[in-house]
Amino acid sequence: MRIVLVNPNPMKPPVTPVSLDYLGSACQNAGIDIDLVDCCVESDWSKKLAQVLTEKPILVGVTVRNIDDSYFASRDFSLGRIIPVLETIKKLTPAPICLGGVGFSIFPSEVLKFCDVPYGICGGGEEGLVKLIVALSDNMELESVPGLVWMKNGKYRKNHVLPVSLGKIDLASRFLIDNAYYFNNGGQVGFETKRGCSLNCVYCPEPLIRGKQVSVRNPQNIVTELTNLYMRGITVFHTCDSEFNCPYSHAVLVCKAIIESGLGNKIKWYAYCSPEYFTEELAYVMRHAGCVGIDFGADHGDDKMLRRLGHGYTSDDLIRIREICLKHHIICMFDLLLGSPGETKESIETTIRLMKKIKPERVGISLGVRLYPITRLGRKILENSKGPLSENPSLFGDLEDNPSFLRPVYYCDANLGEDVEDWLHRMVGNDPRFLLGRRIDAKLNYNYNDNPELTEAIKRGHRGAYWDILRRLSEGIPPL
Ligand code: B12
């Protein structure tokens, strides 16, 4: 049995398709042979596709990580940019195509339709992909393939996504992807310590597609994975969990396992964390396990807005976690999400003032929230919208013939006024800590979708989280 796996992600700097490494392990363990076409790595991906598709595989699996760049200033609908890869595959082979990935899972049937592809698997794909391959090769019913979405009798059917038990799966080998390429050209390599998210952020689709129930990996298996990558010369990593510190106890166990293995002095890594479950104890073990930087999904500095966004922490927690990070020599970025319903210029001012006071190394600002109808925020806005969406002054993006919001739609509260972007730029001033893009100024590019400055810096030897590389560049600090 042989399949072909394809990474069509066109964004630059290139980010490791960790998904395909993990799916590769699952297929290998099930005795399935794999050919890989990584369009990021191949100088001529269509030639490589032609080579591996001369003999018909059972299936061609394509990973769809991003639908768009979720960046209000650019609003790139990146799904459209993978169509040439899919069309080339369709011309070269009659084998069915199956999609999967976090982006795909947000809009499964819409993406299948848009791409004109017969199969897709929602959520974690390790079990579903193997079962689909077996079902297709043995002509079996598709109802037993977890998470499968496909067309039956003119309608899209979706099988239940079964909760994964990550603790039992060995994901450590990382053999399929050229991770050294991603280290050299993407600046870091991703790894996952758990899957799912139990938080309640009103705008976020992640718990809905990766599960509210968190499934954790065996810390020893994570250490084996990091060791395998370290032996190949990779020394800088980024976690791929929704939030590394949820659940808290597992984060501590992972750090302790890394410290005990001796890897903590050899590798450096960055993590996404929630401000809610962050303590001195955790900072201490994270730092000793090699963590050098944290990107906190802070979102806001105004307590009323924090509650509206579904958070259980307050602005005092932001002050507290900043102090902890300073004490433990972990640099940090606070990500802000401004413009959601109820936002006022006063609430933004409160937030910017707080950031200027506590001085995280970087503050990433998103003005405008990417809306998804599956989230609480998206649902509420759709329910409350009377009349055509194009008449709602708080909505931006493709509002005609786009009821699913597959093509990106953003919310930025109209009460803020039309000058809000200029006003925010004036308030931030020329403080280099703030990463705030601007629609009319391509030079202010804090987007990781197409960022030549970052891509070049990584080629010159910079490594690490992109916000840290941008910080080093603007402050003249040498590479990590
Ligand atoms: C970590 C992360 C980052 C890190 C990556 C670090 C690294 N070296 O890996 C950084 C900070 C660099 C980053 C950047 C960006 N990110 Co990001 N990122 C994530 C995050 C948290 C994890 C992604 C990941 O690798 N997961 C681990 C792997 C193992 O999981 P997976 O990819 O989902 O794969 C599994 C399944 O989906 C499935 N599967 C996947 N492919 C396939 C294929 C087949 C055939 C099958 C059957 C199954 C299958 O099986 C896999 C194994 O179980 C996700 C949110 C999340 N919790 O998933 C956002 C997320 C993917 N990012 C997002 C975005 C928007 C971006 C940026 C575009 C932001 C920007 N404007 O700069 C860039 C794009 C960069 C790029 N080149 O692609 C969005 C995408 C949303 C959308 N509308 O498309 C997400 C969902 C966050 C969000 N909630 O908005 N990101």
Side-chain angles (χ1 to χ4, degrees), residues 191 193-194 196-199 201 203-204 206 237-252 254-255 269-287 289-300 306 311-314 317-318 320-322 324-325 330-336 360 362 465 467:
F191 70 106
T193 78
K194 68 183 72 68
C197 181
S198 58
L199 300 179
C201 315
Y203 55 83
C204 182
E206 293 177 30
F237 299 89
H238 199 297
T239 59
C240 288
D241 311 347
S242 292
E243 307 289 4
F244 175 70
N245 57 334
C246 309
Y248 178 89
S249 55
H250 182 256
V252 174
V254 170
C255 292
W269 52 279
Y270 296 78
Y272 279 129
C273 282
S274 158
E276 197 165 353
Y277 305 93
F278 195 77
T279 64
E280 284 237 37
E281 178 206 31
L282 183 59
Y284 178 85
V285 287
M286 282 177 80
R287 186 67 196 88
C291 176
V292 290
I294 297 178
D295 185 342
F296 286 104
D299 282 355
H300 225 285
L306 282 173
H311 298 309
Y313 52 87
T314 64
D317 287 304
L318 303 186
R320 180 182 60 81
I321 61 179
R322 172 61 185 149
I324 294 176
C325 286
I330 299 177
I331 59 165
C332 57
M333 154 114 145
F334 280 17
D335 262 323
L336 303 179
R362 282 297 174 269
W467 55 272

Side-chain angles (χ1 to χ4, degrees), residues 13 37 95 235 267:
V37 181
T235 50
I267 62 170

Side-chain angles (χ1 to χ4, degrees), residues 9 63 66-67 69 126 188 195 206 210 372 447-448:
N9 189 344
T63 184
N66 311 307
I67 298 298
D69 62 6
E126 285 86 352
Q188 15 90 5
R195 207 169 285 164
E206 293 177 30
R210 303 183 78 81
Y372 302 100
N447 192 352
Y448 312 145

Side-chain angles (χ1 to χ4, degrees), residues 20-240:
L20 295 190
D21 252 347
Y22 289 170
L23 294 172
S25 290
C27 289
Q28 194 184 46
N29 295 342
I32 297 160
D33 294 330
I34 310 149
D35 276 314
L36 170 76
V37 181
D38 189 339
C39 302
C40 275
V41 176
E42 294 295 333
S43 53
D44 186 346
W45 52 261
S46 52
K47 194 167 148 202
K48 177 78 182 181
L49 276 174
Q51 277 165 12
V52 300
L53 293 172
T54 36
E55 256 178 63
K56 185 181 164 214
I58 294 175
L59 174 121
V60 182
V62 180
T63 184
V64 182
R65 182 194 193 277
N66 311 307
I67 298 298
D68 59 278
D69 62 6
S70 306
Y71 199 70
F72 189 49
S74 55
R75 304 183 205 166
D76 176 39
F77 179 50
S78 53
L79 184 66
R81 294 200 275 139
I82 73 166
I83 296 298
V85 176
L86 294 171
E87 290 309 314
T88 307
I89 298 169
K90 288 177 202 169
K91 273 192 211 125
L92 289 165
T93 179
I97 298 176
C98 174
L99 306 179
V102 55
F104 165 78
S105 305
I106 306 177
F107 299 101
S109 48
E110 292 83 2
V111 176
L112 288 189
K113 194 167 165 216
F114 182 85
C115 297
D116 191 19
V117 160
Y119 302 115
I121 289 176
C122 287
E126 285 86 352
E127 195 185 338
L129 181 60
V130 170
K131 287 207 166 149
L132 178 63
I133 296 163
V134 173
L136 290 176
S137 59
D138 294 351
N139 260 328
M140 278 156 49
E141 287 293 321
L142 298 176
E143 270 74 7
S144 62
V145 179
L148 184 71
V149 186
W150 81 109
M151 180 71 90
K152 195 175 178 184
N153 303 330
K155 272 198 183 142
Y156 282 110
R157 297 275 312 259
K158 182 176 170 196
N159 294 342
H160 237 65
V161 180
L162 293 181
V164 272
S165 191
L166 273 192
K168 295 193 187 122
I169 313 181
D170 178 4
L171 298 174
S173 74
R174 303 292 297 259
F175 73 98
L176 189 63
I177 296 297
D178 183 352
N179 283 291
Y181 173 89
Y182 283 96
F183 182 55
N184 293 326
N185 295 277
Q188 15 90 5
V189 163
F191 70 106
E192 202 180 32
T193 78
K194 68 183 72 68
R195 207 169 285 164
C197 181
S198 58
L199 300 179
N200 289 309
C201 315
V202 294
Y203 55 83
C204 182
E206 293 177 30
L208 304 160
I209 55 171
R210 303 183 78 81
K212 258 197 108 59
Q213 197 93 17
V214 181
S215 174
V216 298
R217 286 182 65 194
N218 179 335
Q220 285 311 326
N221 198 246
I222 299 166
V223 168
T224 309
E225 174 179 350
L226 291 172
T227 308
N228 284 339
L229 292 165
Y230 175 72
M231 302 297 270
R232 292 173 221 161
I234 295 152
T235 50
V236 183
F237 299 89
H238 199 297
T239 59
C240 288

Side-chain angles (χ1 to χ4, degrees), residues 379-398:
R379 235 185 5 253
K380 202 166 138 202
I381 287 168
L382 278 173
E383 279 164 14
N384 293 347
S385 270
K386 297 178 184 76
L389 292 179
S390 52
E391 284 172 18
N392 182 335
S394 300
L395 295 183
F396 297 83
D398 219 331

Side-chain angles (χ1 to χ4, degrees), residues 347-394:
S347 57
I348 294 183
E349 255 175 38
T350 306
T351 305
I352 302 298
R353 265 204 307 272
L354 178 70
M355 292 300 126
K356 289 197 174 194
K357 183 173 139 202
I358 63 178
K359 296 187 170 54
E361 273 71 18
R362 282 297 174 269
V363 181
I365 302 187
S366 293
L367 174 68
V369 185
R370 175 33 162 136
L371 289 181
Y372 302 100
I374 55 170
T375 61
R376 268 194 290 155
L377 179 66
R379 235 185 5 253
K380 202 166 138 202
I381 287 168
L382 278 173
E383 279 164 14
N384 293 347
S385 270
K386 297 178 184 76
L389 292 179
S390 52
E391 284 172 18
N392 182 335
S394 300

Side-chain angles (χ1 to χ4, degrees), residues 355-468:
M355 292 300 126
K356 289 197 174 194
K357 183 173 139 202
I358 63 178
K359 296 187 170 54
E361 273 71 18
R362 282 297 174 269
V363 181
I365 302 187
S366 293
L367 174 68
V369 185
R370 175 33 162 136
L371 289 181
Y372 302 100
I374 55 170
T375 61
R376 268 194 290 155
L377 179 66
R379 235 185 5 253
K380 202 166 138 202
I381 287 168
L382 278 173
E383 279 164 14
N384 293 347
S385 270
K386 297 178 184 76
L389 292 179
S390 52
E391 284 172 18
N392 182 335
S394 300
L395 295 183
F396 297 83
D398 219 331
L399 299 168
E400 305 285 344
D401 292 332
N402 183 26
S404 66
F405 293 179
L406 177 66
R407 293 193 301 280
V409 171
Y410 294 82
Y411 185 96
C412 186
D413 205 306
N415 293 323
L416 291 167
E418 279 179 16
D419 68 333
V420 58
E421 203 181 35
D422 292 339
W423 171 82
L424 184 55
H425 274 274
R426 277 198 303 278
M427 186 164 20
V428 163
N430 50 13
D431 187 335
R433 290 171 191 274
F434 288 83
L435 307 182
L436 173 62
R438 191 169 205 166
R439 268 174 282 172
I440 51 162
D441 189 350
K443 279 201 302 284
L444 294 178
N445 185 3
Y446 306 119
N447 192 352
Y448 312 145
N449 174 356
D450 178 19
N451 196 315
E453 190 193 7
L454 260 179
T455 310
E456 288 308 312
I458 295 166
K459 285 203 178 122
R460 292 197 307 272
H462 275 276
R463 299 285 178 266
Y466 296 154
W467 55 272
D468 188 23

